[in-house]
Amino acid sequence: VKTFGKSYLWSVHPLTGAGHPSITIAGTDTGRMKTSSPNFFNIPAAKEEGDADFRAAFMSPEGHYLLGGDYESAEFRIAVDTYRDEVGKTMAESGVDGHAFTSGMMFHIVKDGGVSAPVGETVTYERGTTKTPITRFKVPQSWSDERVAEFALSEEVQNAVKAVEKKLTRVDAKTVTFLWIFGGTAYTLAQRTGLPLKVCDDFFVRFASTFKGLDKGAKELAEKAVTENVVQAANGDLYAFSTGYCGIRRWVKLPQSPHYEWFSNEADWKAAEKQYQRLIKRCQRELINVPMQAGNAVITTEALLALADQGEETGIFPWASFYDEIVCVAPDSVPVELTKEVGERAMKAAADKYTSFVRIGVEFDVAKAGKTWKKS
């Protein structure tokens, strides 16, 4: 098959004549599922009006329809559940737009000892060379983090976030959130956006101040991973690991610590020690995202298995899975509402099996049921 001048080869099912990707459970280092020949995860969805909808090229078998659903901010909620972050729990249970909430906490609220009640003011939001007016609220210094979070959920703050030109503060909050989940740093953000490193550092400090439980938990896991969760191989090499739901683990080989006596002068030793610390930090970044990404993969896999096991009885089977999204295929004789119910029940049960501090929502939109694949 040729697409945009490139050739791709994948298997064709001998009975259906359709192309089927190869799926590997826990196929990546972080525990995510992996698809190949073709890689379904790289098929873009239409995000804006007028975008090419490549997913519409994928159709259900004759006499069947497709209906997809997805988990609500699965990896972020798994992080909240793992590290018992109270502010994250408040956000998740509120039902509001998570990125708008994070934006409110990071950019639209500041504690001030000179006020006894929230006071709104117009300030300039500087993002590199961009200067945008936004509404910022001063709140009493004595307010707890939970009370500030409750205020961030208010209509007043949420409207202030929505009113920002191009939703700039929400976009930045969303970017930092995803980078944090994937082990990104302020330097990563600076490289991707061209923003000054100082600005990116400030963004990450604001995120850590908002979700203190996440920040503390991730730092503790990073330290534990390379000090306690370490195993020595027969040849003397050291391997560190971190663990996700169901005991799934990721292993990384640790660099060898330089010994002073190996070097002829102190300068060379210090340079080697600096490189060693840099490599240790890289190992830590690779390990701290395992609970979120591997946890998401475990939950989604269990939901897929549950749907497949009951397929003969319901007529509803999993058609495809993409990160935290599952698309079901069902005969036209099966009511769409039943497919929604069966899909949501399987996905919710899988999530509830592992999470306890905060729950992960599931949503199937019956309006998107049809012959072609639509983004959930």
Side-chain angles (χ1 to χ4, degrees):
V1 175
K2 286 191 174 181
T3 305
F4 299 115
K6 294 183 178 181
S7 296
Y8 299 89
L9 177 66
W10 62 75
S11 59
V12 175
H13 196 283
L15 298 180
T16 65
H20 293 259
S22 298
I23 299 177
T24 304
I25 302 299
T28 68
D29 290 338
T30 57
R32 281 184 178 273
M33 285 184 288
K34 182 179 180 181
T35 68
S36 59
S37 302
N39 183 357
F40 260 31
F41 292 169
N42 284 347
I43 297 171
K47 296 180 179 179
E48 303 289 343
E49 187 174 349
D51 286 352
D53 187 6
F54 292 100
R55 295 190 177 193
F58 294 83
M59 302 181 66
S60 62
E62 186 68 28
H64 292 71
Y65 63 86
L66 302 175
L67 176 62
D70 63 354
Y71 287 112
E72 188 177 10
S73 306
E75 291 177 347
F76 184 80
R77 293 187 185 218
I78 290 171
V80 170
D81 182 73
T82 300
Y83 301 128
R84 298 299 195 262
D85 187 285
E86 292 289 349
V87 170
K89 181 178 182 179
T90 298
M91 180 208 78
E93 293 178 345
S94 70
V96 304
D97 173 17
H99 298 306
F101 168 84
T102 304
S103 171
M105 292 287 286
M106 287 177 62
F107 304 116
H108 293 267
I109 299 175
V110 61
K111 287 187 176 182
D112 191 305
V115 300
S116 57
V119 176
E121 61 178 354
T122 300
V123 298
T124 300
Y125 180 71
E126 296 189 18
R127 187 185 186 277
T129 58
T130 302
K131 296 183 178 181
T132 305
I134 68 170
T135 300
R136 187 179 66 185
F137 298 90
K138 295 179 180 179
V139 300
Q141 187 70 43
S142 60
W143 276 18
S144 65
D145 292 340
E146 289 73 25
R147 189 168 183 185
V148 175
E150 291 291 346
F151 180 61
L153 296 172
S154 69
E155 186 176 349
E156 192 174 10
V157 175
Q158 291 297 300
N159 285 340
V161 174
K162 293 176 184 176
V164 177
E165 184 179 358
K166 297 182 180 179
K167 298 183 179 179
L168 197 57
T169 55
R170 183 188 181 279
V171 169
D172 286 342
K174 180 178 180 179
T175 301
V176 173
T177 298
F178 279 114
L179 275 177
W180 185 90
I181 289 173
F182 284 91
T185 63
Y187 178 78
T188 311
L189 181 61
Q191 290 294 303
R192 290 186 180 183
T193 62
L195 291 172
L197 183 58
K198 182 178 179 180
V199 172
C200 297
D201 277 327
D202 178 60
F203 283 1
F204 272 80
V205 168
R206 289 171 183 265
F207 183 87
S209 298
T210 296
F211 301 107
K212 294 176 181 176
L214 298 187
D215 182 60
K216 179 183 178 183
K219 287 177 178 176
E220 289 177 350
L221 173 60
E223 180 63 24
K224 181 180 178 180
V226 297
T227 55
E228 298 180 32
N229 297 351
V230 178
V231 175
Q232 187 171 28
N235 64 357
D237 290 341
L238 296 177
Y239 291 85
F241 69 88
S242 59
T243 308
Y245 293 150
C246 203
I248 192 170
R249 288 182 176 181
R250 180 183 184 183
W251 297 82
V252 297
K253 182 179 177 180
L254 295 177
Q256 189 170 27
S257 176
H259 295 278
Y260 185 80
E261 58 269 21
W262 294 352
F263 303 89
S264 58
N265 60 74
E266 187 173 358
D268 288 345
W269 173 74
K270 286 185 176 180
E273 178 65 21
K274 185 176 181 180
Q275 174 66 4
Y276 169 74
Q277 293 298 332
R278 186 181 298 114
L279 293 174
I280 283 290
K281 283 183 168 48
R282 178 189 295 175
C283 291
Q284 290 176 315
R285 287 196 300 272
E286 291 176 354
L287 292 173
I288 61 174
N289 60 9
V290 171
M292 288 83 79
Q293 293 187 42
N296 184 20
V298 167
I299 288 173
T300 304
T301 301
E302 292 228 9
L304 287 168
L305 290 172
L307 284 166
D309 287 345
Q310 63 191 20
E312 293 296 335
E313 178 183 349
T314 64
I316 302 163
F317 286 90
W319 179 78
S321 175
F322 311 87
Y323 302 124
D324 56 1
E325 176 184 353
I326 292 179
V327 182
C328 296
V329 59
D332 290 339
S333 58
V334 174
V336 174
E337 289 291 344
L338 178 59
T339 301
K340 169 185 169 70
E341 179 186 341
V342 169
E344 288 184 350
R345 184 169 62 241
M347 292 179 71
K348 190 75 167 59
D352 289 349
K353 178 178 178 179
Y354 294 99
T355 60
S356 57
F357 182 73
V358 65
R359 299 303 185 183
I360 303 176
V362 181
E363 182 180 6
F364 277 70
D365 184 356
V366 295
K368 292 185 177 181
K371 298 296 182 183
T372 60
W373 170 28
K374 298 181 180 65
K375 180 175 171 58
S376 302

